[in-house]
Amino acid sequence: MKTVRKFKPIAASWAPYALITLLIVLITALLIELGLGYDRVNIVLLYLFPVLLSAVYWGIGTSFYAAALCVLAFDFFFVPPFHSFSVDDLRYLFTFFVYMAVAALTATLAARLKQQLRLAKQSEQHTNSLYALSRQMTAISDLRTLLGNVCLQVSETLGGVAVAIYMPDRDEELALTACSEADPAWGRSESETAIAKWVYRQGQMAGRGTGTLRAYPGLYVPLLTEERVYGVLAVIPPAGEAGHKGAFAAENRRLLEAFGGLTATAIARAKLSEEAKLAHLTAESERIRTALLDSVSHELRTPLATVIGSATALIEGELIFSSEDRLELLGTIRDGALRMNRIVTNLLGMVQLESGMLQLRKRWCDIEDMLGVVLAKVKEYKEHRGIRVRLPERIPLFEGDEVLLEQALVNVVSNAIKYSPDHSDIEIAVNEAGAAIVITVTDAGIGVAENEREKVFEKFYRGSRTGHVPGTGLGLAICKGIVEAHGGTITAEPASSGQGTTIRMVLPAGERRDGLERTVEEEVSER
Amino acid sequence: MTKAKTADGARILIIDDEPQIRKLLKVTLQAHQFDIHEAEAGEAGIYQASIVHPDLIVLDLGLPDISGMDVLRRIREWSSVPVIVLTAKEREEDKIAALDGGADDYVTKPFGMGELLARIRVALRHVASSAQEPILRFGPLVLDLAQRIVELDGSRVKLTPTEYDLLKTLAANAGKVMTQRQLLQQVWGGHHHESDSHYLRIYIGHLRKKLEEDPTRPRFIETEPGIGYRFRSQD
């Protein structure tokens, strides 16, 4: 309906009348041309045609005009005495009356039909936009996006009106939360906020066409569910066209009310889901805190005890120890401190992963280079285990955060060392599989039970078979966090030899690697 | 390689705000015959550096008054004394910034005393041997800078020009960490940026293939994860 309004300039309003006049002149000319062989009844019926036409297409005014013109033409040309408006037979006056009545009836009927069609179309459009909005609302969980969408939808449906949504802020003070782009300046002034506050408190509509502030150009609708008012939706017609009564006609007010209800429900849903998330988070952090406390109290206190014990022994019994004893005690202190450092590093790493502070700094990585660093780091505590590395002839560079990936690899390899017997072998193999780099670390340890293969990557989880080995249960959880941040996967499976575990890390290799190899080959072939 | 001036008696300035660390450093470094001076804040450290003329500075990055990076910058305005950064910061950016800003090396807290001593010795020796020798020897590896010849176990190693330049730059700074940026700028020229680090990786890979018996257990070129490379000085 908005288009009809828009594209009806004043100049065009006479066009139907001109068309109808032309049509009647044509019919009259045709009838005169064909002679008077026709019965007058037929002529009257033919004259009904323009009346019906204008009733269907242009409404009541035009059809009455057509009817009058037809009666005049009929009287002038076909009712004796011809070429005069006087009537011989008074019965013709009765015909004219019936004719006018028929014209009036059909015109009213047609116009009403048209009106109903228009209403039906409009209501279909409204239903559609309500449906669209409700569908969006179920899809969006973020409140801000949701309100932005509501503004957009309302503005589109009502022909570009400016929309503003007010919601209470943290101090329960009503404030502008979202507004449409049509007129961002609107809705910010004090009087507008004051009306919004009134509507929020009363839970009633205000503004144009309502009981309150009837003359005000804007319209304020409370966002209301059965239980409470969540905010206020305000609309104002586009600037400069304030005269559009249509924008806030009764149907549109009802539509706005429906929008308001829908929005309120969506806000309620978003708030509830937020609360549920918070509750879940609280429960989860409670669980982590307990696990952390257990872990810290046991894992950190053990090395602390050895450090404090050895140090106090050295201080207090300065003279009773032989130099070997002293060295041994000092070694214990160092090992204890190193172990504590590892635990603290892992805890810090976990905190970073958890809090989303972890940011990947992606660079081109060379797996060979990386393994060199990993092997150097684990060298001190691998004791008598052999570490074999199997690398293919050539492996492309891949994109990743080398420091984090190294940390992940160190964790996996130290785990392999920790859970495999002395004098056994650990194998690190690298392969290329499509667009991914696959790194496997296989040990000959006791392996992971089938039902624990996923759980070992959980925070603070300790395997049932390996509970006696000291550890925090953080190493593999951190690995998983790092690998997944790279878009890769990490899995635990039994070693193909039947004994031990294989940890398999699959990392996406990135895009540019083919080009990279080529540039280098060119340089090398220079000489 | 001719043995440099002995490290014994060298004057070391420690700029650190934690008394525990200062005490630890003082006791152990004095036991190794170093002459120790201390400063507990940045400004005081700069002042000390200007009056005691240390042979080496151990600098903490987190200081109470001005940042360690500022101290480094201001000392570098008038002195080329070797600076070893001692930091509890784990982020690579901080270490890289310090190295690019003129520090010679870095050690992270918690640290092993042996490691710190080794770094101090390397830095002191590096200053002493700054007059460039035409022939560099690292165990079985010999670089003849005058003739651009590299020999490993007595037989010649063929290197491309870029590989040779890279090796030369690393070997000339043996024992010192070279950041990726420093290497890129010195080997490929100033127009290269850190995003070109893949060149570096590929050439390091080539060098290792030609020089190392097992590239995953390198004898010569060590990787400093996230920061750069270090040519191991053989001692």
Side-chain angles (χ1 to χ4, degrees):
Chain A
M1 58 168 281
K2 119 197 156 192
T3 47
V4 172
R5 239 179 22 236
K6 261 194 182 157
F7 298 109
K8 203 174 74 178
I10 301 157
S13 59
W14 50 262
Y17 292 91
L19 271 172
I20 278 303
T21 316
L22 197 70
L23 188 66
I24 292 169
V25 169
L26 268 174
I27 289 172
T28 313
L30 209 66
L31 287 171
I32 293 169
E33 198 61 27
L34 290 175
L36 301 170
Y38 286 95
D39 194 8
R40 285 199 191 88
V41 178
N42 287 348
I43 293 170
V44 169
L45 284 177
L46 266 173
Y47 270 123
L48 217 53
F49 179 62
V51 178
L52 287 173
L53 196 74
S54 50
V56 171
Y57 286 105
W58 296 300
I60 293 183
T62 332
S63 63
F64 271 112
Y65 170 74
L69 208 61
C70 287
V71 167
L72 287 178
F74 180 57
D75 183 12
F76 194 75
F77 292 108
F78 302 104
V79 176
F82 301 122
H83 304 292
S84 136
F85 288 114
S86 53
V87 178
D88 279 355
D89 193 338
L90 275 177
R91 278 177 306 173
Y92 279 114
L93 286 177
F94 183 66
T95 312
F96 295 160
F97 173 71
V98 170
Y99 182 85
M100 286 304 278
V102 168
L105 265 173
T106 41
T108 325
L109 272 177
R112 196 176 295 162
L113 211 63
K114 233 175 96 179
Q115 170 81 3
Q116 267 169 8
L117 185 70
R118 192 177 64 81
L119 278 179
K121 269 193 183 155
Q122 192 187 33
S123 107
E124 188 199 348
Q125 192 196 3
H126 287 180
T127 316
N128 274 345
S129 60
L130 276 173
Y131 174 64
L133 188 68
S134 68
R135 210 177 34 189
Q136 283 172 5
M137 279 173 177
T138 44
I140 300 168
S141 55
D142 174 50
L143 196 61
R144 192 160 281 279
T145 331
L146 186 130
L147 293 181
N149 249 324
V150 171
C151 287
L152 196 73
Q153 195 76 29
V154 171
S155 180
E156 263 176 18
T157 313
L158 296 184
V161 297
V163 185
I165 294 176
Y166 300 87
M167 276 185 65
D169 56 16
R170 269 191 210 110
D171 312 323
E172 287 298 306
E173 193 70 20
L174 206 64
L176 189 68
T177 324
C179 60
S180 67
E181 286 161 13
D183 187 4
W186 185 72
R188 293 181 195 281
S189 83
E190 212 162 284
S191 62
E192 282 149 4
T193 318
I195 302 174
K197 277 181 186 160
W198 184 87
V199 171
Y200 179 66
R201 273 199 307 276
Q202 305 290 322
Q204 282 174 16
M205 288 169 82
R208 167 154 300 235
T210 63
T212 321
L213 289 169
R214 178 175 287 277
Y216 187 76
L219 182 64
Y220 288 77
V221 183
L223 303 177
L224 162 96
T225 62
E226 274 164 24
E227 294 119 42
R228 54 177 283 200
V229 185
Y230 285 95
V232 176
L233 175 86
V235 290
I236 194 165
E241 294 179 73
H244 289 329
K245 286 167 248 156
F248 297 146
E251 319 83 78
N252 283 344
R253 273 211 305 279
R254 274 197 297 280
L255 176 68
L256 274 176
E257 254 178 311
F259 269 135
L262 205 55
T263 313
T265 319
I267 294 171
R269 190 178 61 85
K271 290 216 157 158
L272 280 177
S273 92
E274 229 164 71
E275 276 164 28
K277 216 184 277 172
L278 203 69
H280 178 74
L281 215 65
T282 320
E284 178 70 1
S285 73
E286 188 59 44
R287 192 184 73 79
I288 288 175
R289 194 161 56 202
T290 320
L292 189 67
L293 280 177
D294 287 353
S295 168
V296 166
S297 61
H298 179 251
E299 284 305 315
L300 279 178
R301 278 208 177 130
T302 316
L304 259 180
T306 59
V307 168
I308 294 171
S310 310
T312 42
L314 277 172
I315 290 168
E316 283 155 15
E318 233 210 302
L319 299 171
I320 55 168
F321 294 115
S322 68
S323 63
E324 291 98 62
D325 290 344
R326 294 164 72 91
L327 222 69
E328 191 155 320
L329 283 174
L330 288 168
T332 322
I333 293 177
R334 190 197 55 196
D335 292 346
L338 283 177
R339 187 171 149 196
M340 263 168 57
N341 187 41
R342 273 204 298 277
I343 297 169
V344 169
T345 309
N346 267 351
L347 283 174
L348 287 177
M350 203 67 237
V351 170
Q352 276 190 332
L353 274 176
E354 290 280 301
S355 62
M357 266 161 62
L358 188 86
Q359 278 183 343
L360 294 190
R361 302 202 308 141
K362 282 199 175 181
R363 298 214 192 112
W364 291 98
C365 304
D366 182 354
I367 187 70
E368 199 175 80
D369 198 353
M370 211 178 253
L371 285 177
V373 176
V374 172
L375 292 182
K377 278 194 183 162
V378 300
K379 200 167 70 186
E380 285 162 34
Y381 50 93
K382 81 182 170 83
E383 298 189 351
H384 297 292
R385 292 164 193 83
I387 300 188
R388 280 184 293 139
V389 178
R390 271 199 309 139
L391 282 172
E393 246 321 281
R394 220 169 67 170
I395 203 109
L397 300 185
F398 64 98
E399 262 196 310
D401 185 316
E402 50 176 345
V403 179
L404 291 176
L405 286 175
E406 266 156 24
Q407 196 193 334
L409 272 172
V410 167
N411 276 354
V412 171
V413 176
S414 340
N415 252 23
I417 292 170
K418 206 155 110 182
Y419 297 114
S420 65
D422 216 351
H423 299 289
S424 65
D425 267 357
I426 291 164
E427 187 181 87
I428 305 173
V430 181
N431 284 299
E432 202 185 350
I437 306 269
V438 183
I439 307 163
T440 52
V441 177
T442 308
D443 65 37
I446 33 175
V448 178
E450 196 170 343
N451 57 350
E452 290 183 333
R453 271 177 211 153
E454 280 178 22
K455 284 189 189 158
V456 289
F457 293 104
E458 282 175 18
K459 269 179 305 213
F460 301 113
Y461 185 83
R462 304 296 320 283
S464 55
R465 299 184 194 177
T466 53
H468 58 282
V469 186
T472 50
L474 278 174
L476 284 179
I478 291 172
C479 287
K480 189 175 151 105
I482 291 172
V483 171
E484 286 182 352
H486 280 83
T489 55
I490 183 165
T491 46
E493 52 200 65
S496 51
S497 64
Q499 208 203 356
T501 315
T502 296
I503 301 284
R504 180 187 300 276
M505 295 162 80
V506 182
L507 296 166
E511 289 157 15
R512 268 167 39 198
R513 57 214 185 90
D514 294 333
L516 276 182
E517 279 183 331
R518 224 174 295 129
T519 55
V520 170
E521 258 165 48
E522 280 160 17
E523 218 278 339
V524 172
S525 63
E526 264 175 25
R527 188 158 159 172
Chain B
M1 218 166 129
T2 52
K3 189 75 185 161
K5 165 188 117 178
T6 168
D8 294 352
R11 206 173 294 146
I12 295 181
L13 172 62
I14 297 160
I15 308 177
D16 198 313
D17 61 324
E18 284 173 69
Q20 300 249 15
I21 298 275
R22 280 208 310 277
K23 188 169 164 193
L24 169 70
L25 287 175
K26 188 174 178 178
V27 170
T28 33
L29 292 179
Q30 270 174 350
H32 283 86
Q33 319 301 325
F34 288 107
D35 179 13
I36 301 301
H37 295 260
E38 298 173 51
E40 54 176 30
E43 294 284 359
I46 297 168
Y47 175 68
Q48 285 262 45
S50 69
I51 53 167
V52 302
H53 290 289
D55 296 310
L56 183 134
I57 295 175
V58 175
L59 173 67
D60 183 18
L61 279 188
L63 293 171
D65 52 347
I66 54 173
S67 85
M69 281 301 297
D70 286 332
V71 176
L72 179 63
R73 198 161 31 241
R74 281 171 56 187
I75 287 177
R76 275 285 168 265
E77 281 170 13
W78 48 269
S79 168
S80 60
V81 55
V83 175
I84 293 180
V85 164
L86 190 61
T87 172
K89 295 190 183 181
E90 281 207 299
R91 297 189 318 167
E92 279 66 39
E93 298 94 288
D94 297 318
K95 298 174 199 163
I96 292 171
L99 290 168
D100 281 342
D104 292 68
D105 209 337
Y106 72 87
V107 175
T108 42
K109 290 177 190 171
F111 55 93
M113 196 47 79
E115 191 189 348
L116 179 65
L117 281 167
R119 300 284 167 88
I120 288 175
R121 274 198 293 270
V122 166
L124 286 172
R125 190 169 57 226
H126 209 259
V127 174
S129 66
S130 60
Q132 215 174 50
E133 315 233 349
I135 293 178
L136 301 178
R137 284 174 207 280
F138 305 93
L141 185 71
V142 179
L143 268 83
D144 187 335
L145 301 179
Q147 299 190 59
R148 291 177 72 91
I149 288 174
V150 178
E151 282 183 355
L152 182 65
D153 293 322
S155 54
R156 199 162 151 193
V157 186
K158 277 193 176 173
L159 298 178
T160 68
T162 315
E163 286 165 9
Y164 175 81
D165 286 345
L166 182 58
L167 180 62
K168 190 184 80 179
T169 310
L170 282 167
N173 293 287
K176 224 176 114 174
V177 201
M178 296 293 283
T179 63
Q180 296 184 354
R181 201 172 83 177
Q182 286 169 342
L183 286 171
L184 281 167
Q185 283 182 346
Q186 290 187 26
V187 178
W188 279 269
H191 58 282
H192 273 273
H193 191 256
E194 237 160 308
S195 57
D196 296 320
S197 64
H198 55 274
Y199 291 117
L200 196 54
R201 277 190 198 293
I202 290 164
Y203 282 104
I204 292 283
H206 288 174
L207 272 180
R208 282 199 181 129
K209 278 215 173 66
K210 292 181 181 180
L211 301 180
E212 309 279 10
E213 283 162 0
D214 178 358
T216 56
R217 292 173 173 85
R219 280 184 297 170
F220 302 112
I221 304 171
E222 278 179 5
T223 307
E224 290 287 323
I227 291 165
Y229 294 91
R230 183 202 298 271
F231 198 88
R232 196 186 289 180
S233 60
Q234 314 273 314
D235 54 0

